[in-house]
Amino acid sequence: MLKQSLHYKLLQKLSPQQIQLMKLIQLPTQAFEQKLKQELEENPALEGGKENTDDFEDSQNDEYDDSGNENISTDDINIDEYLSDDEIPNYKTQANNYSSDDEDKHIPYASGTSFTQHLKTQINTYRLTEDEETITDFLIGSIDDSGYLRRDLDDVLDDLAFTQNIFTTIEELERLLHLVQQLDPAGVGARSLKECLILQLKRKPEKPSVLLAINILENSFDHFAKKHYKKLLQKFHISEEQLKDAILQIEKLNPKPGGSYLGNNRIAEQIVPDFTIKIVEGELELSLNSRNAPELHVSREYSNLLHGYKDSKEKSKSQKEAVQFIKQKLDSAKWFIDAIKQRQQTLLLNMNAIMQHQKEYFLTGDERKLKPMILKDIADVIDMDVSTVSRVANSKYVSTPYGTKLIKEFFSESMKNDQGEDVSTREIKNILETVISNENKKKPLTDDKLSVLLKEKGYPIARRTVAKYREQLDIPVARLRKKI
């Protein structure tokens, strides 16, 4: 038997504009500048910089009809709504405490020849046939930014046949790869860490410690990687001093030879702080980077176009189509300007709440003063969603008297010490890091022993928790921290 019933379900969906606003909030300063530049290029109704006319009153901002309806009837458009008494609507997104002459230090980007071009310039000094040049160029193009050839030679062989119409052999590829591996920096073109280290060692002057290091890597790489030093001593019949000298030679090598090249394909990312916190007469002062507060206004030309349409006695079809286009662009410009204002307010609201919560730290720089703080703590204070706080914390930096910090570093969960007091897990991680740095590297502390030591210091933490914090700190297990 079929039965019909009516169910009500309450769904909350974000509008496209709300989603765009969330994306704007997430953007750090440099990415925001790129977005701003893109918007100015794509919307001719939006202009940046100061306008010669007086500022348009904020109350006029609401005169736009931003219903989002794209099917506009020009007969329904009230042109007066788009024309103010001052003739040109001018919306300043710049906050009162910023001015165009604020100090704005730009950090220059690194520039130069790309890593790939650097390698190709070197290979051009060799006498090669046309096919050999094509193959070596193809091999160089397959090298990643770290300097490694991650692709299997069988795949390279197939690609050369399909894309370059060159049919060769694995032996020929090996021969030409060895040629590429002679280029600078040493170790480039390696297919594994083992090969990369050996290539670098073979460039060094031959001496006992270097030859032993090559022998160890070629014949006992796993024992070396796992720091099974006793097995290495037995296998190569050497003293601890000889092994120490060989390991020292390996430790001097660069595991990522491509990363050391300044002209790498990737431009080194420069951190631009989104906020600045200063101590002024014993009080904290927060400011937003002035690059996040641009001056924007509606184009004078667009205003004149509307004037022309209003004053014309006969309104042609092309004129009506133009007015439709102008209205859409004006609505888009208004929304973008409003969104930037909301972005500024949201960023300052979030950062101010974080600053107040961690006030003792920002006044002293003492990391032991960092209080436990989770996203919900800030979200509750500013009455915003946790996801909004997360967008600010994960992508923004703040300049403090103690250096530039990623905001999410100030967040940590709480744990109880032996006094029953709430302490930040960050504080515990700092103590754990200090204990490990001061350990005897010949007999590094296991997670069990670290757990006992932390309990003695007043932090009753289980071994598995110690292991979790150690992994979060990117510290290897005791066996891999061992030194001879």
Side-chain angles (χ1 to χ4, degrees):
M1 179 178 175
L2 293 175
K3 186 179 179 181
Q4 283 187 328
S5 60
L6 187 64
H7 295 279
Y8 291 96
K9 184 183 285 187
L10 184 63
L11 295 175
Q12 185 178 24
K13 290 186 178 180
L14 291 174
S15 69
Q17 290 179 332
Q18 286 174 311
I19 294 170
Q20 287 182 50
L21 176 59
M22 290 299 102
K23 289 180 178 179
L24 273 180
I25 290 170
Q26 191 167 348
L27 294 176
T29 298
Q30 285 178 297
F32 170 72
E33 287 183 313
Q34 290 299 316
K35 174 63 178 174
L36 179 64
K37 182 181 177 182
Q38 179 186 346
E39 196 71 22
L40 285 167
E41 288 174 352
E42 293 178 356
N43 189 350
L46 187 67
E47 290 185 349
K50 288 186 176 181
E51 186 71 15
N52 294 328
T53 60
D54 296 332
D55 293 342
F56 192 67
E57 294 297 327
D58 288 341
S59 62
Q60 296 291 329
N61 288 2
D62 298 326
E63 291 184 354
Y64 284 105
D65 172 21
D66 57 352
S67 60
N69 182 12
E70 293 184 5
N71 296 319
I72 306 160
S73 171
T74 52
D75 296 332
D76 297 333
I77 298 176
N78 184 352
I79 299 301
D80 289 328
E81 290 182 356
Y82 289 83
L83 297 173
S84 71
D85 294 337
D86 296 327
E87 292 191 346
I88 299 170
N90 183 50
Y91 305 91
K92 288 187 64 177
T93 58
Q94 192 170 25
N96 291 334
N97 58 331
Y98 299 116
S99 65
S100 58
D101 58 354
D102 279 348
E103 184 179 9
D104 189 10
K105 295 180 180 178
H106 292 269
I107 305 172
Y109 289 115
S111 63
T113 312
S114 71
F115 181 46
T116 302
Q117 190 57 48
H118 173 66
L119 296 175
K120 286 184 177 181
T121 300
Q122 295 179 69
I123 205 70
N124 287 340
T125 62
Y126 290 83
R127 287 187 176 180
L128 301 172
T129 65
E130 187 176 334
D131 280 358
E132 287 174 338
E133 282 183 4
T134 304
I135 294 170
T136 52
D137 279 355
F138 198 86
L139 287 169
I140 287 171
S142 300
I143 293 173
D144 66 16
D145 290 338
S146 295
Y148 285 82
L149 179 67
R150 306 284 185 185
R151 305 186 62 207
D152 192 88
L153 288 185
D154 285 326
D155 294 335
V156 175
L157 193 73
D158 291 339
D159 281 354
L160 281 167
F162 282 113
T163 64
Q164 306 296 322
N165 201 30
I166 291 179
F167 300 90
T168 184
T169 63
I170 291 292
E171 290 74 23
E172 179 67 0
L173 278 183
E174 287 275 5
R175 182 182 72 81
L176 291 172
L177 177 59
H178 289 315
L179 188 64
V180 171
Q181 289 173 346
Q182 294 175 27
L183 307 177
D184 289 326
V188 71
R191 289 160 286 182
S192 65
L193 175 61
K194 173 182 174 180
E195 186 176 28
C196 178
L197 298 176
I198 291 171
L199 285 170
Q200 292 178 61
L201 285 169
K202 287 184 175 180
R203 299 266 191 110
K204 289 178 173 283
E206 290 188 6
K207 57 181 182 179
S209 60
V210 173
L211 295 173
L212 177 58
I214 293 172
N215 196 6
I216 288 171
L217 293 178
E218 285 182 336
N219 300 300
S220 292
F221 182 77
D222 286 343
H223 287 164
F224 165 76
K226 294 175 181 177
K227 299 199 173 184
H228 290 157
Y229 294 138
K230 287 184 180 179
K231 292 182 180 179
L232 292 175
L233 292 170
Q234 293 170 0
K235 181 172 182 176
F236 294 98
H237 307 290
I238 51 177
S239 66
E240 281 194 6
E241 195 62 35
Q242 287 175 306
L243 180 57
K244 191 182 292 185
D245 289 343
I247 290 172
L248 186 62
Q249 290 291 345
I250 297 172
E251 287 178 343
K252 292 177 182 177
L253 305 175
N254 185 358
K256 294 183 178 181
S260 63
Y261 181 68
L262 293 177
N264 207 316
N265 288 328
R266 294 177 298 171
I267 296 173
E269 182 183 356
Q270 305 290 346
I271 294 173
V272 176
D274 303 272
F275 306 93
T276 299
I277 292 178
K278 295 179 181 177
I279 301 174
V280 180
E281 297 180 356
E283 291 297 324
L284 296 174
E285 185 180 276
L286 173 67
S287 61
L288 182 66
N289 188 322
S290 59
R291 289 158 68 174
N292 288 288
E295 289 186 343
L296 298 174
H297 57 268
V298 174
S299 165
R300 176 190 292 270
E301 182 182 349
Y302 267 56
S303 178
N304 291 338
L305 287 172
L306 286 179
H307 269 301
Y309 179 80
K310 182 186 177 184
D311 296 339
S312 64
K313 293 179 180 179
E314 294 183 7
K315 297 175 172 57
S316 65
K317 182 181 177 181
S318 61
Q319 283 178 314
K320 290 182 179 181
E321 289 175 350
V323 169
Q324 289 178 357
F325 175 80
I326 291 168
K327 181 187 180 299
Q328 290 171 358
K329 292 301 179 182
L330 288 173
D331 286 343
S332 177
K334 176 193 175 288
W335 175 85
F336 188 72
I337 290 166
D338 287 344
I340 291 177
K341 286 182 179 178
Q342 290 184 56
R343 178 181 184 271
Q344 292 170 17
Q345 293 165 0
T346 303
L347 295 185
L348 284 169
L349 200 61
N350 274 266
M351 190 63 228
N352 186 62
I354 293 167
M355 182 181 74
Q356 295 303 329
H357 194 98
Q358 302 291 7
K359 187 173 183 178
E360 287 186 58
Y361 164 74
F362 287 116
L363 285 171
T364 62
D366 187 350
E367 291 198 350
R368 292 172 297 180
K369 302 283 186 181
L370 280 171
K371 296 179 182 178
M373 181 176 71
I374 58 174
L375 296 172
K376 191 175 184 301
D377 293 332
I378 302 303
D380 288 345
V381 170
I382 63 177
D383 195 24
M384 285 189 177
D385 194 82
V386 170
S387 62
T388 303
V389 181
S390 176
R391 283 181 172 88
V392 175
N394 288 329
S395 60
K396 306 289 186 297
Y397 287 84
V398 57
S399 174
T400 75
Y402 325 106
T404 299
K405 311 282 186 182
L406 182 62
I407 294 170
K408 75 174 181 180
E409 293 178 5
F410 302 124
F411 287 83
S412 64
E413 295 177 353
S414 63
M415 291 194 70
K416 300 280 186 186
N417 62 13
D418 57 359
Q419 304 296 316
E421 300 169 334
D422 281 336
V423 294
S424 167
T425 53
R426 182 182 173 89
E427 178 183 337
I428 298 170
K429 288 178 185 178
N430 285 339
I431 293 168
L432 177 63
E433 203 168 15
T434 302
V435 169
I436 291 175
S437 65
N438 293 331
E439 70 185 357
N440 180 357
K441 295 304 177 186
K442 289 190 175 183
K443 294 181 179 178
L445 300 166
T446 62
D447 291 341
D448 282 318
K449 289 180 180 177
L450 288 169
S451 178
V452 171
L453 281 173
L454 286 172
K455 284 177 184 176
E456 291 174 358
K457 292 179 179 291
Y459 303 98
I461 301 173
R463 183 206 63 79
R464 64 179 178 275
T465 308
V466 169
K468 182 178 80 171
Y469 290 168
R470 177 181 51 72
E471 288 170 2
Q472 288 173 352
L473 291 167
D474 203 21
I475 297 173
V477 295
R479 177 171 50 79
L480 297 180
R481 300 199 306 270
K482 186 177 180 182
K483 291 186 177 180
I484 192 166

